[in-house]
Amino acid sequence: MSEQQIQAGPAGNRSRVVIVGAGMAGVQTAVALREQGWGGPVTLLGAEPHQPYDRPPLSKAVLLGEAEGSAFEVDFDALAVDLRLGTDVTGLRSADHELDTPAGPVPYDVLVVATGATPLALPGSAGVPGVHLLRTLDDAERLRPVLADKRDLVVVGAGWIGAEFTTAARAAGCRVTVVEAAGRPLAQALPAQVTAPMSRWYEEAGARLLTDSPVERIQSGSVTLAGGAVLPADAVVVGIGARPATSWLAGSGLALDPDGAVTADGHLRTNLPGVYAVGDCASFPSARYGQRLLVHHWDNALSGPRTVAAVILADEAGEPAPVYDPVPYFWSEQFGRFVQYAGHHGDADALVWRGDPAGPNWSVCWLRDQILRAVLAVGRPRDLAQGRKLIEANSRMDPARTADLGVPLKSAAL
Ligand code: FAD
């Protein structure tokens, strides 16, 4: 888009959009606004000092030193986006249509909250030397020399980040013990039958996985488990989840749910007029799944912005706005495997296996009343791609054919 087009602005108004948070969701909102023809000023405020970057490589290539960084290839000047880095927004005064920042107030007409998530720390671990989180480029850069030193590491949490960090640390030659408070990895995300083969991946990679092992205390050089066992640790990486980064909104009148997520509606609007929310910081009602979803995955931070931009344009024009109701999708690269998941499953959904989970490639489908609800694919990207489309179409499946690896998943639809 040329500067002339941007200034002419097919939207025909000069409202100022301010986006708080210059991660994936914030950057993509700015890009989508311009792509969809927003002609007014766009300001993007980000707390971090770095050029906006992508997070998935932080637990993969960037951590291993195989990539220097992961900055987005976006020319903010060409898009006429006023990018202000190192700008930590500390408050929202919606009655005045202003944000508070250390550099002074920033006025807005339309506000997009895209402040992402903050990793959870273990109580008492803040400031203990050698204890790390993995969320930012700075975190990854601090961890690189730790891996290069090939030391004894303890990873707290066998979730997605814990598994990816363990993979990188083993590849770097570190000794790794993973301690998990639950009885198995990914206990909140996947059923026990599905995580059973995944538990074995830790062992196969030469990492030690201790389940039912809550941490009692972390001190410099060691981790003490609730049972009293003491694990030596040159460094500790804590990967126990993340919480929406919304504490700066306290007292603003913006509605948050008990997890701290901004409770957006089906158009990603918030309870405050002219204020929208997108990405890891916001939950939205899914008509498809009959519940509110808080999705902490990259694809949501890519597709949510396209909807939020379209809704802003529609609201300014007084036209009907699109609804955000995606089939959630994410991937994880762990222990030499490409793991992908699409959809959303419940405990009551029927599990159908495709392939042997002891082998390198297999999938699992979740069916409700024979309708495909979710797919997990390990090294089977075709199952994932086909499954995602079938889920979007609410496809009814033949369970026997769904289980038959000789039948492409799309051909198992009735
Ligand atoms: P964020 O990326 O968290 O960006 C929010 C930005 O807002 C941050 O830069 C933050 O500094 C800024 N901010 C916060 N508060 C303020 C404030 N008050 N003022 C100004 N700025 C503020 N997903 C996958 O699907 N697959 C993967 O393999 C995968 N790997 C990942 C690996 C790592 C190490 C991490 C951390 C995440 C990974 N994810 C992955 C998740 C994915 O990266 C996130 O879902 C995505 O980054 C969310 O984007 P976001 O813009 O909503 O939030």
Side-chain angles (χ1 to χ4, degrees), residues 37 199 321 363:
S199 303
S363 301

Side-chain angles (χ1 to χ4, degrees), residues 70-96:
S70 54
F72 296 118
E73 285 179 19
V74 173
D75 186 338
F76 294 99
D77 290 340
L79 286 175
V81 170
D82 176 11
L83 172 63
R84 301 187 200 168
L85 299 172
T87 304
D88 194 2
V89 178
T90 52
L92 161 63
R93 284 176 289 104
S94 61
D96 302 328

Side-chain angles (χ1 to χ4, degrees), residues 20-25 45-48 55-56 58-60 87-89 114-117 134-135 161 164 248 279-280 296-298 301 330-331:
V20 185
M24 180 73 181
L45 307 175
E48 296 183 63
R55 284 181 208 282
L58 300 185
S59 51
K60 307 170 183 82
T87 304
D88 194 2
V89 178
T115 44
L134 179 49
R135 179 83 196 175
I161 295 285
E164 292 202 352
W248 64 280
D280 279 14
H296 276 189
H297 296 299
W298 186 91
F330 69 87
W331 80 96

Side-chain angles (χ1 to χ4, degrees), residues 190-232:
L190 296 170
Q193 304 100 295
V194 178
T195 57
M198 300 171 105
S199 303
R200 292 194 285 274
W201 298 350
Y202 285 82
E203 245 174 74
E204 288 165 18
R208 187 158 67 125
L209 172 64
L210 304 178
T211 52
D212 294 309
S213 300
V215 170
E216 168 101 4
R217 202 168 57 252
I218 298 187
Q219 54 276 61
S220 184
S222 67
V223 172
T224 305
L225 301 180
V230 177
L231 306 172

Side-chain angles (χ1 to χ4, degrees), residues 165-414:
F165 178 80
T166 301
T167 303
R170 285 297 302 143
C174 301
R175 282 179 296 276
V176 185
T177 302
V178 183
V179 297
E180 168 57 54
R184 56 198 176 80
L186 295 166
Q188 287 171 359
L190 296 170
Q193 304 100 295
V194 178
T195 57
M198 300 171 105
S199 303
R200 292 194 285 274
W201 298 350
Y202 285 82
E203 245 174 74
E204 288 165 18
R208 187 158 67 125
L209 172 64
L210 304 178
T211 52
D212 294 309
S213 300
V215 170
E216 168 101 4
R217 202 168 57 252
I218 298 187
Q219 54 276 61
S220 184
S222 67
V223 172
T224 305
L225 301 180
V230 177
L231 306 172
D234 297 311
V236 180
V237 175
V238 178
I240 56 171
R243 195 176 190 281
T246 53
S247 57
W248 64 280
L249 291 162
S252 67
L254 196 77
L256 305 178
D257 71 17
D259 290 337
V262 179
T263 45
D265 71 7
H267 306 280
L268 301 177
R269 300 181 186 118
T270 72
N271 64 311
L272 298 177
V275 182
Y276 303 77
V278 67
D280 279 14
C281 68
S283 67
F284 55 89
S286 168
R288 184 188 296 280
Y289 291 105
Q291 66 187 95
R292 185 164 275 281
L293 299 181
L294 173 60
V295 179
H296 276 189
H297 296 299
W298 186 91
D299 189 66
N300 179 56
L302 173 69
S303 51
R306 293 178 186 145
T307 300
V308 102
V311 173
I312 290 170
L313 279 150
D315 286 353
E316 289 284 312
E319 289 169 359
V323 171
Y324 188 59
D325 196 3
V327 172
Y329 165 73
F330 69 87
W331 80 96
S332 172
E333 292 160 51
Q334 46 179 284
F335 307 112
R337 291 164 173 92
F338 190 45
V339 180
Q340 296 168 286
Y341 178 98
H344 183 76
H345 66 269
D347 293 343
D349 297 341
L351 260 184
V352 179
W353 290 89
R354 279 172 68 77
D356 178 2
N361 306 318
W362 48 272
S363 301
V364 179
C365 296
W366 282 264
L367 305 184
R368 183 176 301 176
D369 300 329
Q370 283 186 243
I371 306 279
L372 187 62
R373 304 282 286 180
V375 179
L376 175 88
V378 177
R380 294 188 60 85
R382 230 173 248 167
D383 279 359
L384 192 287
Q386 294 177 13
R388 199 173 174 183
K389 286 189 189 141
L390 293 165
I391 297 165
E392 269 161 16
N394 269 325
S395 301
R396 186 174 292 277
M397 308 294 287
D398 175 332
R401 287 173 65 76
T402 301
D404 185 347
L405 267 190
V407 176
L409 195 53
K410 63 181 178 193
S411 304
L414 291 168

